């Protein structure tokens, strides 16, 4: 069997993560303009949640398939599906088409990040992994720097359709490198895939998302989601090859990582989705300015991850996790207090940077702790399960905030919610009667301020969860006895 070329395989994985990172930064910047052109502000959240929901549902499935059939074919399939969805999204002519094709794009994205991170865990030792995964996060830094500016320039000089087309050459390059330089030996054995578990999980997450998006209007999804997810847990406990093995959550490190990850991801995706909307819809800023508001967070995250990877070689996981989550709380508090027309934007931008530093420290330490807690045969599903909770947290957080926003826009029944679309176009409300414009701007501002308080609350809850993270040995991932807890690990 041919040997894997580690440098070029690492380059391929970096390109795949760059593609996923660029998707977040470029689309977040362009979406207010897209809604201004296509209409449908009441479905604004669905452009993000459709993508995150489909990727969320497939993350644990891809993780299990990667353990059963190998990482390479699963990552190549996901990359191909992602590219087809990207092209189709760029060709959309209505909000409904865009949402549908974003769903397809998400079905491919569910394989990219968890399987790429799993391959890193396979081809590098723990000591190497801490450095590589920290340095790997620099990919997000590059995407964070060029993504918002690229999105703004594309919208201004080309068309928003091109924000989806730019992924294609990156994805093709990734696939060619993987096919040529990554080789793995997989011991395949007859296995039964857990179709019942996958179906219950998918239906439960969809119902849950409908429930949180229906805040103040229709909450039918919540009780349905509880029943479906309860049935999912029962099925998983008996399935020979479960989508998410319940046994891995007996390890406190994995259980707490899942809870904390879901909470801080909800806050992070909420910020990347609704801060640009506030800048364009309330402050009347340009797409480039809107992207510039989230750039400090997206850049600071990978920079902090690089330092976190190096610090993990000298300390234990817990200080980085607790300290990082504390910084996210401090960084998100200024959002509802200082993101106002009368406050210089540099102040909330600095706070967003602090938020990113905290995310970089905590997320890197949590992911490596999870991967260290299991062997090769479970590393794929453990990594994917952790990513699953992060993405489901993001999807539900954005969905909940979308429900809050729509409920505010619907408060005055005499004003159609679709009129708010005019706030997001380049003319910013031109042609809308002054009284109606004032009412819509006020409703949009109120809804987004409530969302910023929710983001702060989510980071606070994540910090509380992080306080329960056990002291863990870096060498084995097992909890350290109390008598040895004071020793450096």
């Amino acid at each position: 069997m041919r040997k894997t070329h580690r440098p070029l395989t690492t380059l391929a994985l970096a390109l795949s993560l760059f593609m996923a990172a660029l998707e977040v930064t470029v689309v977040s910047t362009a979406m207010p303009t897209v809604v201004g052109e296509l209409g449908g502000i009441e479905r604004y959240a669905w452009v993000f949640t459709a993508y995150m929901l489909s990727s969320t549902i497939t993350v644990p499935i891809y993780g299990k398939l990667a353990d059963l059939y190998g990482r390479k074919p699963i990552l190549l399939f996901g990359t191909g599906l992602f590219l087809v969805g990207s092209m189709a999204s760029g060709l959309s002519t209505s909000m409904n088409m865009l949402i549908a094709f974003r769903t397809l794009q998400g079905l491919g994205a569910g394989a990219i990040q968890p399987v790429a991170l799993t391959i890193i865990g396979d081809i590098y030792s723990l000591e190497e992994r801490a450095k590589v995964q920290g340095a790997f996060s620099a990919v997000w830094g590059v995407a964070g720097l060029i993504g918002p500016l690229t999105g703004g320039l594309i919208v201004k000089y080309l068309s928003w359709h091109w924000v989806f087309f730019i992924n294609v050459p990156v994805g093709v390059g990734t696939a060619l490198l993987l096919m040529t330089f990554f080789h793995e030996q997989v011991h395949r054995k007859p296995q039964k895939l857990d179709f019942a578990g996958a179906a219950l999980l998918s239906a439960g997450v969809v119902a849950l998302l409908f429930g949180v998006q229906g805040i103040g209007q229709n909450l039918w999804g919540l009780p349905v989601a509880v029943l479906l997810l309860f049935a999912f847990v029962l099925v998983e406990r008996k399935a020979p090859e479960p989508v998410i093995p319940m046994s891995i959550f007996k390890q406190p490190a994995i259980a707490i990582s899942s809870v904390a990850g879901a909470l801080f991801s909800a806050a992070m995706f909420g910020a990347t989705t609704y801060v640009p909307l506030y800048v364009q819809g309330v402050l009347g800023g340009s797409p480039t300015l809107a992207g510039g508001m989230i750039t400090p967070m997206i850049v600071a995250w990978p920079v902090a991850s690089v330092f976190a990877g190096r610090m993990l070689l000298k300390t234990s996981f817990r200080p980085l996790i607790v300290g990082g989550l504390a910084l996210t709380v401090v960084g998100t508090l200024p959002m509802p207090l200082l993101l106002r027309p009368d406050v210089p934007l540099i102040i909330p931008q600095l706070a967003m940077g602090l938020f990113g530093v905290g995310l970089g420290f905590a997320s890197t330490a949590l992911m490596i702790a999870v991967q260290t807690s299991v062997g090769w045969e479970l590393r794929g599903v453990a990594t994917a399960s952790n990513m699953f909770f992060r993405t489901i947290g993001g999807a539900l957080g954005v969905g909940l905030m979308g429900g809050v926003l729509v409920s505010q826009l619907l408060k005055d029944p005499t004003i159609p919610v679709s009129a708010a679309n005019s706030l997001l176009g380049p003319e910013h409300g031109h042609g809308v009667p002054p009284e109606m414009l004032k009412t819509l701007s006020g409703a949009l501002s109120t809804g987004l301020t409530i969302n910023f308080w929710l983001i702060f609350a989510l980071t606070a809850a994540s910090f509380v969860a992080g306080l329960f993270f056990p002291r863990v040995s870096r060498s084995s991932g097992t909890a350290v006895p109390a008598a040895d807890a004071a020793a450096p690990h």
Side-chain angles (χ1 to χ4, degrees):
M1 178 180 174
R2 288 189 295 172
K3 187 178 180 181
T4 291
H5 192 292
R6 286 208 312 180
L8 290 177
T9 297
T10 303
L11 175 61
L13 299 176
L15 285 173
S16 68
L17 291 184
F18 178 77
M19 184 171 62
L22 201 63
E23 174 68 19
V24 173
T25 56
V26 174
V27 174
S28 294
T29 302
M31 271 314 301
T33 301
V34 175
V35 174
E37 180 177 322
L38 297 181
I41 191 173
E42 68 277 11
R43 297 190 295 279
Y44 180 87
W46 274 105
V47 177
F48 297 94
T49 54
Y51 175 86
M52 287 189 287
L53 179 61
S54 56
S55 63
T56 297
I57 291 170
T58 54
V59 159
I61 299 172
Y62 283 130
K64 189 63 182 179
L65 290 172
D67 283 340
L68 294 177
Y69 302 110
R71 326 304 195 197
K72 184 175 181 177
I74 303 305
L75 183 53
L76 288 174
F77 174 80
T79 300
L81 200 58
F82 179 88
L83 294 180
V84 171
S86 296
M87 288 292 295
S89 295
L91 296 172
S92 298
T93 57
S94 70
M95 279 292 286
N96 289 337
M97 285 181 65
L98 181 58
I99 291 169
F101 293 135
R102 286 279 285 171
T103 302
L104 178 63
Q105 193 181 22
L107 290 174
I112 293 175
Q113 190 163 355
V115 179
L117 292 176
T118 301
I119 294 174
I120 295 171
D122 291 341
I123 65 177
Y124 290 100
S125 66
L126 171 62
E127 287 73 18
E128 293 172 321
R129 199 184 312 152
K131 294 179 180 179
V132 171
Q133 287 200 354
F136 231 73
S137 297
V139 171
W140 286 85
V142 174
L145 282 172
I146 71 173
L149 177 61
T150 301
L153 292 175
I154 287 174
V155 169
K156 184 175 181 179
Y157 294 108
L158 295 174
S159 164
W160 64 262
H161 302 274
W162 284 91
V163 302
F164 296 103
F165 296 154
I166 61 174
N167 283 320
V168 176
V170 180
V172 171
T174 296
L176 291 175
L177 285 172
L178 282 173
M179 287 188 291
T180 306
F181 298 107
F182 176 53
H183 309 287
E184 59 182 344
Q185 186 173 3
V186 181
H187 299 286
R188 294 183 175 88
K189 53 184 179 180
Q191 300 284 1
K192 287 186 177 180
L193 291 179
D194 182 19
F195 291 109
L200 286 170
L201 177 63
S202 302
V205 172
V206 170
L208 188 59
L209 182 59
F210 273 104
V212 299
Q213 288 234 61
I215 183 170
Q217 303 169 58
N218 186 356
L219 300 177
W220 63 266
L222 296 180
V224 173
V226 170
L227 291 174
L228 289 171
L229 294 175
F230 179 72
F232 167 72
V233 172
L234 294 180
V235 168
E236 294 301 274
R237 296 180 66 178
K238 297 181 179 180
E241 291 292 340
V243 174
I244 300 180
M246 295 294 108
S247 60
I248 66 174
F249 298 109
K250 293 179 181 179
Q251 299 189 47
I254 294 181
I256 294 171
S257 295
S258 300
V259 173
L263 292 168
F264 73 63
S265 291
M268 186 272 290
F269 280 108
T272 56
T273 300
Y274 293 105
V275 168
L277 181 62
Y278 185 91
V279 173
Q280 287 193 249
V282 177
L283 302 183
S286 66
T288 305
L289 180 62
M293 282 301 301
I294 61 173
T295 298
M297 180 192 73
I298 298 172
V299 173
W301 182 339
V303 172
S305 294
V306 172
F307 286 100
R310 296 181 180 275
M311 292 169 67
L312 275 175
L313 299 177
K314 301 177 181 179
T315 185
S316 62
F317 296 109
R318 194 173 188 277
L320 287 175
I321 293 168
V322 175
L325 293 176
L327 288 177
T328 66
V329 177
V330 177
T332 53
L333 180 57
M335 290 175 62
L337 297 176
L338 300 178
L339 194 54
R340 305 195 312 263
D342 59 330
V343 176
L345 288 181
I346 186 63
I347 297 176
Q349 280 182 313
L350 291 174
M352 292 290 285
L354 189 62
F355 181 29
V357 171
L359 290 171
F361 283 139
S363 64
T364 300
L366 286 168
M367 178 58 73
I368 296 177
V370 167
Q371 292 186 331
T372 307
S373 299
V374 295
W376 186 95
E377 70 282 355
L378 286 176
R379 188 173 294 139
V381 74
T383 302
S385 295
N386 189 261
M387 293 303 303
F388 167 77
F389 280 98
R390 293 188 186 190
T391 50
I392 194 176
L396 293 175
V398 172
L400 174 63
M401 295 174 204
V404 169
L405 184 61
V406 172
S407 68
Q408 291 297 315
L409 293 173
L410 290 175
K411 273 194 170 182
D412 189 338
T414 64
I415 299 179
V417 67
S418 58
N421 297 324
S422 63
L423 295 174
L424 305 178
E427 297 180 353
H428 191 64
H430 179 73
V432 179
E435 284 301 316
M436 181 183 293
L437 184 63
K438 181 179 179 181
T439 300
L440 287 172
S441 296
L444 187 64
S445 178
T446 299
L448 291 173
T449 301
I450 293 173
N451 286 344
F452 296 153
W453 280 114
L454 284 173
I455 289 170
F456 167 71
L458 288 164
T459 57
S462 182
F463 170 71
V464 172
L467 293 175
F468 293 93
F469 193 87
R471 296 187 183 276
V472 173
S473 167
R474 289 187 294 108
S475 60
S476 65
T478 55
V480 179
D484 300 326
H489 297 284

